[in-house]
Amino acid sequence: MSSSPSPSAPFGAANLPHSIDSPDMCRAGRDLLSLALIDARNHTLHLLTLYEEALGSEALAVPPVPEEEGVVPPVWLAGHIGWFAEWWIGRNTQRAFGIDCPVRPTRLAAIEPSADDWWNPAQSSPGRRWSADLPYLGQTKAYLLETLESTLELLEHAAETDAGLYFYRLALFHEDLRGEQFVVMAQTLGLPLGIEQAPIAVTREPLLVPATRWELGLPESGFAFAQERAVHRVEVPEFEIDAQPVTWSQYIEFVDDGGYDREELWHVEGWRWLAAQVEGRRGPRHVEQIGVARNGTGGSVLQHRFGVTVRAAGHHSAVHLSWWEADAWARWAGRRVATEVEWEIAAHTAARRGFRWADVHEWTAGTLQPWPGFRADPWSAGGEFDPVAAFGRARVLRGASFATRARLRSPRRRGFALPERDDGFFGFRTCSL
């Protein structure tokens, strides 16, 4: 590697976002990035306050949960956010290389001497994160403020290029991802955060989308996660797709028709997953009761939502579903889970005809695979967020949920999770066969 960063062209004003809430923040310059980083840190601190109120203690003590449940100690997650920014910005002497930065650059010492021991996931095993030697919330908040101040000071002198701003954008979107993780964890733990889901519009009939040649992937300019890069074109035949994710009313019919007892509807691995769940499971996670009403009309879903049992509206998107459940419902309905390219095309071209998204993250049909020209970025190559390890195993998620920060709500965003995960705000939509 050369001794100086590779040049990266500055971006024109026409490409810059006009708001810190815009998905175009992937191309934001120093001024907006500064505001957005402050906003993200304020949101993190706000979530910590909600946790403190819900748990009634500054210790934020929650019972240890198995790793596969997706819960980590709230204080650990908060400290990790500050640690991540300092690790890749404040301590990274080669941050100016941007995406071409070495996976293990020369690093300075941390503001907090115990930072790596506490918050570096490579040094802090999942089991160890539940140990009692984590700092108190007050100390963690102080670290969050110190690392933010350091980040903002360095940002003032960063080159106004994609390479120069790469790690600042990464830190921003990482914190936004962790913010949603806080909300998902609260749902898993049954903590009342006082977060309300926005009203959802009425359902519409499926939409017919004409055949097209579509360009997938994001260009090298601006910021993108590793699995979203590498522009390439694909031919897509005509398809019919749901205008909105599958609703509770639709899902109730599957349950009432014995969907959880009919092995022929399930993928072999999905049936194995179902058998390993709590005995007698006959509905999605967090559902206490689901079925057709006694009078034979409509249906009812009683759902645990942030520690309170509520009756879910029939026209709301079914949520907390694994990919296996999505696939079984689609087989039962004589349809198929939408592919990610079909989803993306519809999100871009059929919005005016009623295509609705951002209610839930939506499972798509195929497994996560690298696109042509894929290359790992420093974060993913470092092992903490590794799409390479997930290739061929994880399923792609498209869309967003009510807990997703607005600047992450892009129709091109490509999330992923293992097919058995049902802790997130996950739903799905289908296409005709």
Side-chain angles (χ1 to χ4, degrees), residues 27-44:
R27 294 187 294 274
R30 286 194 302 252
D31 291 344
L32 274 183
L33 268 176
S34 178
L35 294 174
L37 286 163
I38 293 170
D39 170 72
R41 191 56 48 88
N42 283 338
H43 184 64
T44 297

Side-chain angles (χ1 to χ4, degrees), residues 8-335:
S8 180
F11 25 85
N15 294 324
L16 294 179
H18 301 291
S19 164
I20 62 171
D21 293 326
S22 168
D24 288 335
M25 282 298 296
C26 63
R27 294 187 294 274
R30 286 194 302 252
D31 291 344
L32 274 183
L33 268 176
S34 178
L35 294 174
L37 286 163
I38 293 170
D39 170 72
R41 191 56 48 88
N42 283 338
H43 184 64
T44 297
L45 293 170
H46 173 64
L47 289 169
L48 288 173
T49 298
L50 295 180
Y51 263 76
E52 189 175 359
E53 292 171 353
L55 292 167
S57 168
E58 190 186 66
L60 301 192
V62 298
V65 177
E67 182 182 1
E68 60 269 18
E69 294 293 304
V71 175
V72 296
V75 170
W76 184 91
L77 185 58
H80 173 72
I81 289 170
W83 171 90
F84 184 91
E86 188 185 22
W87 179 257
W88 286 114
I89 299 173
R91 299 170 61 185
N92 181 4
T93 64
Q94 294 166 281
R95 60 182 174 272
F97 285 97
I99 196 170
D100 293 317
C101 175
V103 176
R104 295 175 180 82
T106 305
R107 284 198 168 92
L108 304 174
I111 294 173
E112 165 54 58
S114 299
D116 289 338
D117 189 48
W118 285 335
W119 297 307
N120 184 346
Q123 295 182 209
S124 176
S125 65
R128 189 179 177 191
R129 294 168 198 171
W130 294 97
S131 66
D133 63 351
L134 285 175
Y136 290 113
L137 180 60
Q139 186 178 352
T140 303
K141 286 182 176 179
Y143 178 71
L144 286 170
L145 293 173
E146 285 184 273
T147 51
L148 175 63
E149 182 179 0
S150 170
T151 296
L152 295 178
E153 287 177 356
L154 292 170
L155 176 59
E156 289 181 7
H157 305 288
E160 198 79 73
T161 63
D162 285 327
L165 299 178
Y166 174 83
F167 284 108
Y168 300 93
R169 294 166 177 167
L170 172 61
L172 170 65
F173 291 122
H174 173 267
E175 187 155 1
D176 286 342
L177 289 172
R178 298 310 189 193
E180 180 155 1
Q181 185 178 350
F182 267 115
V183 181
V184 171
M185 282 173 27
Q187 168 70 342
T188 301
L189 295 167
L191 300 181
L193 294 192
I195 296 175
E196 297 294 334
Q197 184 172 352
I200 295 177
V202 296
T203 57
R204 296 176 180 269
E205 292 299 311
L207 305 166
L208 188 65
V209 180
T212 186
R213 190 173 189 225
W214 191 256
E215 189 175 88
L216 278 170
L218 293 170
E220 289 298 316
S221 61
F223 175 87
F225 294 108
Q227 72 276 9
E228 298 167 345
R229 289 194 180 274
V231 173
H232 62 290
R233 292 176 179 257
V234 292
E235 300 288 343
V236 183
E238 178 183 80
F239 60 94
E240 179 202 88
I241 188 168
D242 294 332
Q244 61 280 312
V246 168
T247 65
W248 280 122
S249 291
Q250 293 172 302
Y251 202 83
I252 286 171
E253 296 179 19
F254 166 74
V255 176
D256 192 59
D257 197 33
Y260 281 82
D261 297 307
R262 295 169 57 182
E263 184 176 355
E264 74 274 12
L265 296 175
W266 293 75
H267 188 286
V268 173
E269 292 182 42
W271 187 251
R272 192 180 301 126
W273 167 82
L274 182 60
Q277 302 308 297
V278 176
E279 186 177 356
R281 175 166 173 164
R282 292 296 180 272
R285 185 172 183 157
H286 299 306
V287 168
E288 180 180 300
Q289 179 182 315
I290 182 170
V292 173
R294 290 182 180 178
N295 61 7
T297 61
S300 175
V301 177
L302 294 181
Q303 180 188 33
H304 295 294
R305 187 171 177 82
F306 298 107
V308 178
T309 301
V310 298
R311 189 176 300 277
H315 65 283
H316 280 193
S317 302
V319 68
H320 294 300
L321 296 161
S322 68
W323 190 91
W324 304 125
E325 289 166 300
D327 180 61
W329 188 97
R331 292 171 189 240
W332 168 82
R335 294 175 69 80

